[in-house]
């Protein structure tokens, strides 16, 4: 079971988008940045998806501080491909930030890549 | 009523800064670029988290500059510049996002304030030139942009209702909506000179905070009861888990406290600019300042503070870099103060208090998850209400400057941006489209293909 937490301004929308995909072996829950950082460190969660205006500030702030930049990645304003996300996951990234006006476009790509990686 | 707005606009969009005001803008830009160079504060909340790696030497100056530029450019050209042009009032996106970039960019310490001052000069003199040039064009798109103020001001009033609905459900959201609507109608009837949304917004924000605090207190009581039932083991474990946050946060707070005098200078400068009524802090505020409604502007920015305190506090504590305008509290204070000297003093004191209270605020927020949640919902609601308001206002501006053809060009550019995956930030796309549309219409006029709409 791969556990994804969502946080930031669009956390509810992101969680709903992931749920609608009904991916096998993926569990998603709405969280907050601080709780998510604690759970990721303790191994109680696997990935974090954060959203804000720029795709980097509120979405990643606390996570960058507590998890280190090696575990974090922001797509900023670009929409990645599933291969790009897979490569990032392969590099050990667990925390992804993106713009709240691109939730529809980015969330499915990232969630599918996470599901493929977990399988 | 629209006649009134246009009449007021004709006088106010002229960016007639006095010499002391021009010098203040230039000096403050020099200071903010210097502070950004030292990685002590940046305006863009999105850049702040990246400052930790920079401060600790894990990333280079040029890489951080690239991040800062990438995250700020859209807001400078799409939001800051069009807002300043259409209102004749400066805003933090136009002033401080570029000084973020210039400060980080500077390889030498002395170069940062020089570049910052140069940007301040470009804004002060360039904006004035662009402003009068644009007003003299056959199709005056700046006056048309005044159309945006009504939808922005009135839809902004609803942001607490949206936040309450998202966080606490339809019933409470609906109640808040009815309460706000009643208050807006009552304000219009009873105090026609007060901005209609002011009281409604105050009550809406207070309702949201009350809901959040009571939820947190209930939850804490439940947890305590559970812990008492389970013995003390879980409590100790929870304290152990908190440790990395605590040590990271306290290191950042100490770093910022060490530079207290510089922050006090910064607070004094921002507060002074707000006191001079040449700066509008929030999206809706510039329009109120342009109309001379300073108490309305102070109220709007004061309620906005609640959406930003947790964000700024947590990113500052996690990264070790503070916000250029702090918790944004100096804006409303500045608008209301009667004298510049008082503004300098209050700005410095407010910033000192903010920096000193930072780690305490971080601890309190750690214990109030619903309040932090509310702040996220508030920011989401602000952008949600402004998205519709800015789009609608931009189409009204398009209609004012070019009728159906104007709507086609501006609306078309907006839709095109959506179709291309939002190259320009959504919030900024419509105002940017108005400016592009205005230029296109002027070109069409010169080619004898378009006759300006007379209002």
């Amino acid at each position: 079971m791969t556990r994804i937490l969502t946080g930031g301004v669009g956390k509810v929308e992101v969680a709903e988008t992931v749920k609608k995909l009904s991916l096998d072996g993926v569990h998603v829950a709405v969280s907050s940045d601080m709780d998510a950082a604690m759970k990721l460190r303790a191994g109680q969660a696997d990935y974090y998806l954060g959203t804000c205006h720029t795709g980097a500030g509120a979405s990643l702030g606390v996570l960058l501080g507590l998890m280190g930049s090696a575990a974090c990645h922001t797509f900023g304003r670009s929409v990645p491909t599933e291969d790009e996300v897979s490569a990032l996951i392969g590099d050990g990234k667990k925390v992804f930030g993106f713009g709240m006006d691109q939730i529809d476009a980015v969330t499915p790509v990232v969630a599918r890549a996470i599901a493929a990686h977990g399988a | 009523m629209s006649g009134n707005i246009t009449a007021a606009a004709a006088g106010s969009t002229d960016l007639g800064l006095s010499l002391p005001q021009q010098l203040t803008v230039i000096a403050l830009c020099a200071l903010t670029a210097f502070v950004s160079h030292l990685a002590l504060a940046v305006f863009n909340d999105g850049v702040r988290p990246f400052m930790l790696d920079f401060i600790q030497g894990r990333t280079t100056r040029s890489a951080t500059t690239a991040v800062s530029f990438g995250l700020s450019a859209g807001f400078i050209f799409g939001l800051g510049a069009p807002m300043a042009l259409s209102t004749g009032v400066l805003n933090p996106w136009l002033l401080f996002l570029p000084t973020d970039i210039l400060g980080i960019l500077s390889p030498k310490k002395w170069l940062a304030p020089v570049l910052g001052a140069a940007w301040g000069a470009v804004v002060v003199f360039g904006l004035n030139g662009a402003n009068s040039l644009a007003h003299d064009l056959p199709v005056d798109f700046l006056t048309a942009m005044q159309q945006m103020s009504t939808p922005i001001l009135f839809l902004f009033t609803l942001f607490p209702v949206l936040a309450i609905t998202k966080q606490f459900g339809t019933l409470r959201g609906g109640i808040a909506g009815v309460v706000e609507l009643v208050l807006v109608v009552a304000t219009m009837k009873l105090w026609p000179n007060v901005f209609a949304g002011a009281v409604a917004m105050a009550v809406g924000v207070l309702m949201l905070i009350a809901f959040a605090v009571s939820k947190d207190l209930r939850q804490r009581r439940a947890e305590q009861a559970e812990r008492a039932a389970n013995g003390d083991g879980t409590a100790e474990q929870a304290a152990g888990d908190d440790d990395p946050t605590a040590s990271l946060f306290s290191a950042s707070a100490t770093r910022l406290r060490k530079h207290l005098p510089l922050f006090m200078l910064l607070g004094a400068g921002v507060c002074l600019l707000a006191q001079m009524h040449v700066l509008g802090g929030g999206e809706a505020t510039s329009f109120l300042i342009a109309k001379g409604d300073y108490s309305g502007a102070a109220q709007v920015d004061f309620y906005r503070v609640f959406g930003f305190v947790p964000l700024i506090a947590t990113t500052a504590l996690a990264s070790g870099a503070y916000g250029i305008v702090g918790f944004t509290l100096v804006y409303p204070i500045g608008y209301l103060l009667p004298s510049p000297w008082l503004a300098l003093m209050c700005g410095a004191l407010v910033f000192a208090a903010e920096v000193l209270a930072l780690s305490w605020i971080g601890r309190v927020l750690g214990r109030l998850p619903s309040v932090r949640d509310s702040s996220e919902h508030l920011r989401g609601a602000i952008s949600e209400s402004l998205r519709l308001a800015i789009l609608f206002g931009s189409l009204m501006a398009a209609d004012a400057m070019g009728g159906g053809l104007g709507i086609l060009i501006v609306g078309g550019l907006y839709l095109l941006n959506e179709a291309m995956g939002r190259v320009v930030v959504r919030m900024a796309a419509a105002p940017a489209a108005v400016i592009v549309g205005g230029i296109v219409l002027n070109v069409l006029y010169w080619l004898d293909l378009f006759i300006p709409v007379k209002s």
Side-chain angles (χ1 to χ4, degrees):
Chain A
M1 178 65 87
T2 311
R3 290 152 302 179
I4 303 177
L5 297 177
T6 67
V9 178
K11 57 186 162 190
V12 179
E13 288 89 341
V14 174
E16 276 166 9
T17 313
V18 176
K19 271 184 203 142
K20 268 188 209 134
L21 296 171
S22 52
L23 298 161
D24 282 339
V26 171
H27 178 260
V28 64
V30 176
S31 179
S32 77
D33 46 7
M34 283 198 207
D35 291 341
M38 292 306 160
K39 288 199 172 123
L40 282 167
R41 289 175 68 102
Q44 293 163 355
D46 305 295
Y47 294 96
Y48 174 84
L49 306 182
T51 39
C52 66
H53 283 279
T54 57
S59 63
L60 292 184
V62 172
L63 280 299
L64 265 173
L66 290 172
M67 304 286 298
S69 53
C72 301
H73 181 80
T74 176
F75 299 112
R77 304 214 46 73
S78 66
V79 178
T81 65
E82 211 173 306
D83 289 342
E84 282 166 13
V85 182
S86 296
L88 289 165
I89 293 172
D91 284 347
K93 305 282 184 197
K94 295 173 179 306
V95 176
F96 296 99
F98 45 95
M100 54 179 292
D101 58 349
Q102 288 175 320
I103 289 173
D104 303 346
V106 178
T107 313
V109 178
V110 178
R112 288 210 175 93
I114 287 173
H117 200 261
Chain B
M1 182 169 158
S2 69
N4 278 341
I5 291 175
T6 346
S12 64
T13 46
D14 179 28
L15 192 81
L17 297 184
S18 67
L19 185 66
Q21 289 171 340
Q22 290 174 337
L23 292 177
T24 306
V25 172
I26 293 171
L28 186 61
C29 284
L31 177 65
T32 54
F34 183 64
V35 170
S36 148
H37 176 87
L38 298 176
L40 285 173
V42 284
F43 179 74
N44 193 328
D45 300 315
V47 175
R48 208 167 300 122
F50 294 88
M51 299 310 276
L52 182 71
D53 271 358
F54 178 65
I55 291 164
Q56 297 181 345
R58 285 197 300 261
T59 176
T60 61
R61 199 167 265 289
S62 56
T64 316
T65 307
V67 168
S68 171
F69 182 81
L71 293 178
S72 296
F75 289 94
I76 300 169
F77 300 111
L79 192 62
M83 285 257 303
L85 280 172
S86 57
T87 59
V89 176
L90 299 171
N91 59 65
W93 301 282
L94 183 67
L95 291 182
F96 304 140
L97 288 177
T99 60
D100 275 5
I101 302 170
L102 292 170
I104 304 172
L105 172 83
S106 304
K108 294 270 184 285
K109 210 182 236 185
W110 58 267
L111 191 60
V114 173
L115 291 178
W119 176 251
V122 166
V123 169
V124 167
F125 300 112
L127 197 63
N128 222 355
N131 205 280
S132 46
L133 184 77
H135 277 301
D136 289 338
L137 289 175
V139 182
D140 180 356
F141 53 89
L142 294 190
T143 303
M145 282 183 92
Q146 289 289 328
Q147 298 283 338
M148 293 175 67
S149 76
T150 309
I152 286 184
L153 289 178
F154 278 83
L155 283 176
F156 195 76
T157 304
L158 270 184
F159 81 96
V161 177
L162 299 184
I164 291 173
T165 310
K166 275 218 163 163
Q167 194 176 357
F168 297 105
T170 318
L171 177 66
R172 293 194 209 185
I175 293 171
V178 172
V179 168
E180 280 213 13
L181 189 65
V182 168
L183 288 171
V184 168
V185 174
T187 310
M188 286 177 133
K189 191 88 188 157
L190 299 174
W191 307 287
N193 293 327
V194 177
F195 166 53
V199 183
M201 234 187 295
V203 172
V205 170
L206 285 176
M207 281 172 86
L208 176 66
I209 294 173
F211 288 148
V213 170
S214 69
K215 185 181 173 192
D216 278 342
L217 292 181
R218 246 179 299 138
Q219 199 159 345
R220 188 130 47 101
R221 241 175 278 140
E223 271 168 24
Q224 271 167 356
E226 195 180 321
R227 209 172 290 157
N230 289 351
D232 288 331
T234 44
E236 265 167 45
Q237 197 194 336
D241 282 349
D242 265 354
D243 220 22
T245 334
S247 68
L248 178 79
F249 279 17
S250 75
S252 297
T254 314
R255 173 175 193 261
L256 294 176
R257 261 203 301 271
K258 244 186 276 170
H259 297 89
L260 197 61
L262 200 57
F263 283 116
M264 290 173 76
L265 195 61
L266 189 61
V270 177
C271 198
L272 177 64
L273 213 56
Q275 196 278 331
M276 290 170 156
H277 300 144
V278 296
L279 176 81
E283 291 88 344
T285 332
S286 297
F287 293 100
L288 286 166
I289 298 273
K291 281 188 196 167
D293 183 359
Y294 307 128
S295 62
Q299 280 169 316
V300 168
D301 272 0
F302 181 69
Y303 305 134
R304 205 171 153 275
V305 167
F306 295 104
F308 286 85
V309 167
L311 162 71
I312 293 167
T314 48
T315 52
L317 286 167
S319 69
Y322 196 49
I324 287 286
V325 294
F327 289 145
T328 71
L329 207 57
V330 284
Y331 298 144
I333 293 173
Y335 303 147
L336 294 179
L337 286 175
S339 95
W341 298 111
L342 219 54
L344 286 171
M345 219 162 63
C346 288
L349 289 178
V350 168
F351 257 50
E354 287 180 7
V355 171
L356 291 175
L358 206 51
S359 49
W360 176 78
I361 292 171
R363 268 202 309 280
V364 171
L365 287 174
R367 272 181 270 138
L368 296 172
S370 297
V371 173
R372 269 187 299 139
D373 223 23
S374 297
S375 130
E376 273 168 10
H377 284 294
L378 271 182
R379 276 182 289 120
I382 286 175
S383 53
E384 198 72 12
S385 58
L386 285 176
R387 198 178 82 203
L388 178 63
I390 290 178
L391 177 60
F392 187 65
S394 297
L395 289 177
M396 281 164 71
D399 183 45
M401 70 185 180
L405 182 62
I407 293 179
L408 171 67
I409 296 174
V410 172
L413 285 170
Y414 179 85
L415 290 173
L416 197 64
N417 182 58
E418 292 279 305
M420 292 189 307
R422 300 194 191 104
V423 186
V424 181
V425 191
R426 180 145 66 183
M427 181 99 79
V434 174
I435 292 184
V436 174
I439 294 169
V440 171
L441 288 176
N442 276 298
V443 171
L444 289 176
Y445 169 81
W446 281 315
L447 296 173
D448 249 342
L449 292 170
F450 171 72
I451 302 157
V453 179
K454 283 277 165 260
S455 51

